Amino acid sequence: MRSRVLIWVIVIVALTFGASMTVGAQDRPDLLIWADNTRAPALQPLVEQFSADFGVSAEVQEIGMGDIRSNLPVAGPAGEGPDILIAAHDWIGELVLNGSVVPLDLGDKAAEFSTAALNLFTYGDALYGMPYAVENVAFFRNPDLVPDAPATWDDVKAISEQLVADGKSQYGFLPQGGDPYHFFPIMSAFGGYVFGLDENGNYNANDIGIDSEGAIASAEWLSSMVQAGLIPAALDYDTMLTNFETGAAAMVITGPWALPRLKENGANYVISEIPAGPAGPGRPFIGGQGFMISAFSENQLLAEAFLLDFMAAPEPMQALYDADPRPPAYLAVRESLNDPDLIAFDQAGAVGVPQPSIPAMTSVWGSWGSAVGFLITQEVTADEAFKSAAEQIRTLIGGGELPAAPVTVVGDQPPADGPQAVSIPGTIQSAAGCSGDWAPECENTQLAYNANSDVWLGSFTLPAGDYEYKVTLNNAWDENYGGMADRDGANVALSLAEETVVTFVFDYKSKWVADSVNKVIATVPGSYQAAIGCSADWSPDCLRSWLQDPDGDGVYVFTTTAIPAGDYEAKVAVNLSWDLNYGADGARDGANIAFNVPADGAEVTFSFDSATNTLTISAGG
């Protein structure tokens, strides 16, 4: 064990001869900590106490959780980054790979933390963070509707069927839409997995289990729930919880972050372990948050001393828990709690598995989430969805690019308060096989309504030539629009130099029609999409986040008030796939752009300048 006294001697020397000339010259404190709006208020008085006790300047800078991750590799080398950051454990693989964090030796202090939490922050043979909280999802049920916890997922289905048949609730069990994180406990109960383990017990990126027999069996189970009418086709986090709070749903899977809302709304709930399946208990992912030391910090010894000699103690760890009650990683605080909800989460997480933090995991979420979403919308079979997702994941991990996918139009039932048919009449119609032009009733140029995207779309192969078109509703000219969302507007010109597959998209809400030749068909996939009604997050083909440009100035805009308060990330995708995408600073394949929604109902505007490929995101209060 290293002597803490010795460390302080080294720190003082470093501050005297190093930091005074470098950090001080940059007009920044001796110790700078980046934390999000949940942890910063709790840390501020602790940092002030540390500063007063040890005579060093220290500051907490509040930054969105997503911004911390994306800004560190940029701000760090410029000398503007933090010495310490609060981060999620699954960032480790990426941060280690790009050299942004350094190992941390807890010494004898390691015995004061749960082994499971330490494992989360271990990458390779080294520890890269000091954990303070761990979390996992658990099974919630309304005890008035479901007195006893179901033992298996077959029981969950049977109970759901009985509740609906008896008219006691509209639904039995509701999943969180197409979110793969919340689906994993079900998948694991059937024997499915994300990555297999190598001989050393580490995740093996070459062993993908998304298309394993168990994963497909779990997909078939969920698909059977949808086919039985027990799960609606449109479902997100807010809808799921609202149904549970009102008794319209009797069972859900969620995490400790939902407790404040459920308590505030008076929900009747009991928390228990995840039901089992043919392969054994449902195993949730175990995640965690903790402190990491920046590799760019010039005061790493001071940062280490702050963590080990000051933060690793009951009082500061209790303060963090009080600010954001999640199961503590620090044993003294964990053992002092008598909260039945957190005890229940602990029990549900006893069989959990660490959420993979290897860099390959970034290639998994999008395809996996889309596959789960397809189970909800029933666009493809369970077998097709999960085998296709696994193939895409293997391609991405192998460094390849996904082939450009044709636009698949699924004809869902359109809303009753909108058009029941949308067509593209014009001079394109003869080329598309119609008997004549300007015929709104021609079947060959009909668009199809897609419920996941809440738009009408279709793709037609057209030969080279100059064309004109409009959009009409209900196979008649009574209501028609031009290219500026203008009723009875001018025809839209379309010129093709060669035979081209042209995609047409129409949004009845905005009345805008666009084609993939004249316009950029761009969406904003991100970690918020499930909240606005998409089947999954990070779905470039979900046009609920469609960027539109009715005035033709080249700036495409999407605005919504449906994103709950919180930290998110997003980027721009073109032509409904990841083949062409833009991130921070307009860079192709660039970093995700982080943003914060300050309150439920806040207006969030995404603006994409097609001339610079730059996305800006603004959120009001």
Side-chain angles (χ1 to χ4, degrees):
M1 172 185 176
R2 286 185 293 173
S3 166
R4 302 261 63 86
V5 175
L6 177 59
I7 285 184
W8 275 113
V9 171
I10 295 173
V11 168
I12 292 171
V13 171
L15 286 174
T16 302
F17 296 103
S20 61
M21 294 182 289
T22 56
V23 178
Q26 297 169 5
D27 193 28
R28 52 161 286 169
D30 299 323
L31 186 68
L32 179 62
I33 302 172
W34 278 3
D36 68 359
N37 58 1
T38 299
R39 287 87 178 177
L43 274 175
Q44 187 59 47
L46 298 172
V47 168
E48 291 174 358
Q49 180 183 340
F50 173 79
S51 180
D53 290 349
F54 296 99
V56 295
S57 59
E59 179 183 326
V60 180
Q61 192 171 76
E62 184 177 310
I63 296 183
M65 184 63 97
D67 292 333
I68 293 174
R69 181 181 189 176
S70 59
N71 290 350
L72 179 62
V74 177
E80 299 174 355
D83 302 291
I84 295 173
L85 56 145
I86 292 187
H89 89 278
D90 57 324
W91 301 0
I92 290 178
E94 176 185 334
L95 295 179
V96 172
L97 195 65
N98 63 29
S100 295
V101 293
V102 295
L104 178 62
D105 180 8
L106 294 183
D108 290 347
K109 286 282 186 178
E112 300 176 17
F113 295 84
S114 75
T115 301
L118 293 175
N119 288 341
L120 290 175
F121 286 85
T122 299
Y123 187 79
D125 295 325
L127 182 72
Y128 283 90
M130 187 179 83
Y132 85 86
V134 294
E135 63 189 19
N136 55 269
V137 297
F139 191 80
F140 283 62
R141 74 180 195 279
N142 183 327
D144 289 342
L145 298 172
V146 186
D148 300 314
T152 69
W153 285 106
D154 285 343
D155 293 340
V156 170
K157 183 176 181 180
I159 293 169
S160 298
E161 291 172 334
Q162 193 64 52
L163 287 171
V164 173
D166 293 344
K168 293 183 177 180
S169 66
Q170 186 176 357
Y171 308 105
F173 169 76
L174 283 185
Q176 188 172 312
D179 183 76
Y181 173 85
H182 289 80
F183 178 71
F184 179 74
I186 303 175
M187 193 170 89
S188 63
F190 284 81
Y193 61 97
V194 178
F195 296 117
L197 303 178
D198 62 21
E199 62 276 9
N200 297 317
N202 299 315
Y203 282 118
N204 179 8
N206 295 317
D207 182 1
I208 306 297
I210 300 297
D211 57 351
S212 64
E213 182 179 347
I216 293 174
S218 69
E220 290 172 342
W221 179 90
L222 186 60
S223 183
S224 73
M225 291 281 287
V226 179
Q227 292 167 4
L230 301 172
I231 294 174
L235 192 61
D236 56 29
Y237 174 76
D238 183 68
T239 303
M240 177 194 74
L241 281 190
T242 299
N243 277 291
F244 183 72
E245 290 163 348
T246 60
M251 299 168 282
V252 298
I253 290 177
T254 191
W257 48 85
L259 291 174
R261 168 176 167 167
L262 293 176
K263 292 176 180 177
E264 181 180 351
N265 292 335
N268 186 18
Y269 67 86
V270 173
I271 305 173
S272 58
E273 293 90 344
I274 307 293
R283 301 177 181 274
F285 277 142
I286 306 297
Q289 296 85 40
F291 298 86
M292 299 183 192
I293 297 178
S294 169
F296 310 109
S297 168
E298 296 187 15
N299 282 329
Q300 292 180 13
L301 289 175
L302 176 59
E304 183 178 326
F306 170 76
L307 295 181
L308 274 63
D309 291 344
F310 185 80
M311 285 302 301
E315 183 178 343
M317 286 295 181
Q318 181 70 48
L320 288 178
Y321 170 80
D322 291 340
D324 182 32
R326 304 191 185 202
Y330 193 69
L331 294 176
V333 176
R334 192 183 193 93
E335 293 164 358
S336 69
L337 299 177
N338 190 27
D339 185 327
D341 288 343
L342 294 183
I343 292 172
F345 273 110
D346 259 355
Q347 293 170 343
V351 295
V353 298
Q355 181 177 315
S357 60
I358 59 176
M361 191 64 187
T362 60
S363 300
V364 172
W365 292 115
S367 297
W368 184 22
S370 294
V372 179
F374 289 148
L375 304 180
I376 305 295
T377 60
Q378 291 289 287
E379 295 184 39
V380 295
T381 67
D383 185 78
E384 292 170 335
F386 273 52
K387 285 184 176 178
S388 176
E391 181 180 349
Q392 293 173 13
I393 292 166
R394 291 187 181 99
T395 299
L396 291 171
I397 290 176
E401 295 185 358
L402 297 179
V407 175
T408 301
V409 178
V410 179
D412 298 316
Q413 181 65 40
D417 59 352
Q420 299 305 293
V422 172
S423 57
I424 303 292
T427 57
I428 69 168
Q429 289 184 291
S430 295
C434 294
S435 59
D437 291 331
W438 302 106
E441 71 280 0
C442 177
E443 293 184 0
N444 290 9
T445 54
Q446 296 286 324
L447 303 186
Y449 177 72
N450 185 284
N452 182 51
S453 291
D454 194 25
V455 297
W456 297 76
L457 70 162
S459 296
F460 314 123
T461 301
L462 302 174
D466 294 322
Y467 304 95
E468 291 184 336
Y469 72 87
K470 298 187 76 172
V471 61
T472 58
L473 309 188
N474 297 319
N475 295 328
W477 284 105
D478 296 348
E479 187 174 354
N480 68 86
Y481 297 90
M484 300 183 73
D486 46 345
R487 186 163 184 171
D488 301 317
N491 299 338
V492 182
L494 174 66
S495 295
L496 304 178
E498 59 184 3
E499 183 178 87
T500 305
V501 178
V502 183
T503 297
F504 297 86
V505 188
F506 176 70
D507 183 354
Y508 178 66
K509 301 181 296 298
S510 67
K511 310 300 190 291
W512 191 52
V513 63
D515 65 72
S516 56
V517 175
N518 286 315
K519 298 292 183 178
V520 176
I521 306 298
T523 57
V524 191
S527 58
Y528 69 95
Q529 282 181 293
I532 66 170
C534 294
S535 61
D537 290 334
W538 298 106
S539 298
D541 58 346
C542 181
L543 285 153
R544 288 179 184 266
S545 59
W546 183 21
L547 293 153
Q548 300 184 19
D549 180 27
D551 61 6
D553 65 356
V555 178
Y556 294 73
V557 177
F558 162 60
T559 300
T560 180
T561 58
I563 306 175
D567 294 314
Y568 301 92
E569 292 184 342
K571 63 193 313 187
V572 169
V574 178
N575 293 332
L576 309 182
S577 80
W578 287 114
D579 294 350
L580 182 59
N581 69 85
Y582 299 99
D585 301 319
R588 181 169 181 175
D589 301 317
N592 298 339
I593 300 171
F595 65 100
N596 173 264
V597 179
D600 292 352
E603 184 175 88
V604 183
T605 299
F606 303 83
S607 181
F608 176 63
D609 187 335
S610 60
T612 62
N613 299 319
T614 302
L615 174 69
T616 57
I617 306 173
S618 61

